[in-house]
Amino acid sequence: MPPSLTSISDEAAIVFDNIADRAANLVNPTLRLGVTGLSRAGKTVFISSLVHNLLHGGRLPLFEPQRSGRISNTRLEEQPDDAVPRFQYEDHIRALVKDRVWPDSTRAISELRITIDYKSASGWNRLFSPGRLSIDIVDYPGEWLLDLPLLGQDFREFSERTATLARTGIRAELARDWLVHSSATVMDAPADEMTARRLAESFTAYLKACKSDERSLSTLPPGRFLMPGDLEGSPALTFAPLPDMPDTPAPKGSLRAMMERRYEAYKTVVVKPFFREHFARLDRQIVLIDTLQAINRGPEAVQDLERALADVLACFRPGSNNLLTALIRRRIDRVLVAATKADHLHHESHDHLQALTRRLVERAIHSIGMAGAGIDVMALASVRATREANVRRDGHELPVIVGTPMAGETIGSEHFDGNRKTAVFPGDLPEDPEAFFRALDDPAASHHLPELNIVRFRPPMLEETGGGITLSVPHIRLDRAMQFLFGDRLA
């Protein structure tokens, strides 16, 4: 968890929420599952597919309660938090299944409750358990999670870290305008609203350039600068880091004092409420990442993903809860890091994708001096948009994937309209993750990094049964993720 919140009232609110949650659990057993992701990793698609497969009895051979026939009913119910927007499952699944378009990315927090009636595997438990579990799925942007480390940083440390990162690699080019504006600013001059606004705008433009598809960088705090919502234009979002600050207190009434005050306001108004009201109440967590996109964008994108993972995992302290932690500061006892879009590779490379992601997580964990207990890694596809085939070329069998590229996609000289299928050789990932990271860490060996042909495909066309009922959404290893995240709570 991040450093302790300094406000006694914050800590008291967390304890009160935990006690209320535990009391409610006595009547209706509930698990709060956090779902987040980095840089368009597919949070909305993951939740929609998970719920659709549970409601429609999808093919889930690795989800033991379903495989053994112990689940008798699954249904959506009204969520308990009236102040949190509902995850619009029906709209998202209609986009996937009927319109065959990918739903919009997460822009704010939302919640959905799905309740499962089941028969316990233990005859003893059947006497005492109601055989019912409600799963409250809490969907929130990964940028919000990356804000939590700010709770342990003052404005000087935040500015130094941000500026140091902005001056490295490709970021130096993207941050040029902001760095030029900052260097030309007299930070101890009297506070001026227009100067603060110009700095905030140039800093936000830098963050947006980092997040673009062409760069796919992941370390982008403060997260609300990219998705301001109803805070747009507020003083809490009208500030920017100040590189090369002097080691002296900010003069009263100066621009630097204004920036420090607004940074602290950002933590108070934005970060602390998210931590207290949502993050501190989670039981399990899945973090979705787009490892393939990072590999495709080059070494800096992969290294930035590793850095972001370290920041994310530093927010968690996985481990079993006891009575005291359950009431005061409960732990997230299981964290799953999932590399999405496995369907963009032939199945022969799925294990390689998982191994690369696992090593990425291990490196991130090592960099922050954290143990890896309670953290699992896998490669999955929440919605399988392709099928596999083999084609002959120059007398050799070549494994390919077949799907319908999104309108506007280009492969070589071919341009696609969103209706025509094609076969794509996606490339191969190295079997040995250590060889990959040796090449990643050595600029002279970067030519040994894999070349991937990543294409955006439309969601698949689903067939219907004779009764007109749409079959469940196809996936890769979604059932294994479900078993890890909540299968034990249905035992």
Side-chain angles (χ1 to χ4, degrees), residues 397-447:
E397 288 281 340
L398 192 65
V400 298
I401 55 175
V402 179
T404 305
M406 298 282 290
E409 285 290 286
T410 300
I411 305 176
S413 60
E414 287 190 87
H415 301 277
F416 291 86
D417 60 2
N419 297 309
R420 181 163 55 92
K421 290 186 177 182
T422 191
V424 177
F425 174 64
D428 294 316
L429 291 176
E431 295 183 23
D432 179 14
E434 291 302 327
F436 172 84
F437 284 101
R438 282 195 298 271
L440 183 71
D441 294 335
D442 180 5
S446 60
H447 61 280

Side-chain angles (χ1 to χ4, degrees), residues 52 56 93 97-98 461-465 467-473:
H52 192 267
H56 290 78
I93 207 67
V97 175
K98 298 296 184 184
M461 181 177 294
L462 298 186
E463 298 178 357
E464 296 185 347
T465 64
I469 300 174
T470 303
L471 300 177
S472 58
V473 174

Side-chain angles (χ1 to χ4, degrees), residues 40 106-107 143-144 146-147 203-212 217-229 237 266:
R40 301 191 226 353
T106 299
R107 302 292 297 176
E143 288 83 357
W144 293 20
L146 286 168
D147 273 353
F203 178 65
T204 302
Y206 154 63
L207 295 180
K208 288 180 178 179
C210 289
K211 189 179 180 180
S212 68
L217 300 177
S218 303
T219 309
L220 304 168
R224 287 293 182 93
F225 278 50
L226 295 172
M227 43 186 70
L237 264 64
Y266 180 85

Side-chain angles (χ1 to χ4, degrees), residues 42 44 106 116 128-129 140 145 222 274 302 305 350 359 396 412 416 454:
T44 302
T106 299
I116 301 173
F128 300 98
S129 170
Y140 64 94
L145 184 58
F274 165 67
V302 178
L305 176 57
H350 289 178
R359 188 68 186 104
H396 298 284
F416 291 86
I454 304 299

Side-chain angles (χ1 to χ4, degrees), residues 63 65 70-71 116 118-121 133 486-491:
F63 184 47
R70 295 192 293 106
I71 294 180
I116 301 173
Y118 68 98
K119 184 177 182 181
S120 175
L133 176 69
F486 51 83
D488 62 312
R489 295 291 297 269
L490 298 168

Side-chain angles (χ1 to χ4, degrees), residues 296-350:
N296 206 38
R297 291 293 179 256
E300 284 196 43
V302 178
Q303 291 164 346
D304 200 72
L305 176 57
E306 181 181 325
R307 184 184 301 111
L309 273 173
D311 289 343
V312 164
L313 294 174
C315 298
F316 304 112
R317 284 294 181 266
S320 300
N321 280 295
N322 54 40
L323 179 61
L324 185 62
T325 60
L327 293 178
I328 298 177
R329 178 69 65 79
R330 69 189 192 223
R331 294 175 179 267
I332 296 176
D333 57 0
R334 290 190 181 186
V335 177
L336 176 62
V337 179
T340 58
K341 305 175 185 177
D343 59 325
H344 286 48
L345 296 172
H346 195 272
H347 76 272
E348 294 174 352
S349 288
H350 289 178

Side-chain angles (χ1 to χ4, degrees), residues 190-213:
D192 176 71
E193 189 64 40
M194 293 309 297
T195 301
R197 181 172 150 187
R198 283 193 295 270
L199 285 170
E201 289 174 348
S202 61
F203 178 65
T204 302
Y206 154 63
L207 295 180
K208 288 180 178 179
C210 289
K211 189 179 180 180
S212 68
D213 284 341

